[in-house]
Amino acid sequence: MRTPRRGSAFDQAEAAFKSATTKPVAAAPAKPATPPEGKEMVSLRLDRAVLEHFQEDGPGWQDRINAALRGVAGLD
């Protein structure tokens, strides 16, 4: 068996195969920007009736709860 020479067709084919089958190194995912409101994810226990009241109007119920809490806390 012959040892392939540097720059030979074998080496070129091997390099082409490796470049085609090697996964590119992905950059680290960017850290999500903090919303301007400075919101944080928390767990909160609510009465079922309270949760259903805010969910009745569909999507955006978390924002509606937040707005209600801000109003009660006097932050608006």
Side-chain angles (χ1 to χ4, degrees), residues 1 3 9 19-20 28 32 40-41 46 53 61 63 76:
M1 183 164 196
T3 303
S19 67
E40 292 188 40
M41 184 177 291
L46 301 172
H53 169 78
W61 60 270
D63 292 329
D76 284 333

Side-chain angles (χ1 to χ4, degrees), residues 13-36:
E14 186 75 15
F17 178 78
K18 284 182 181 178
S19 67
T21 59
T22 304
K23 289 185 179 180
V25 177
K31 186 176 179 182
T34 303

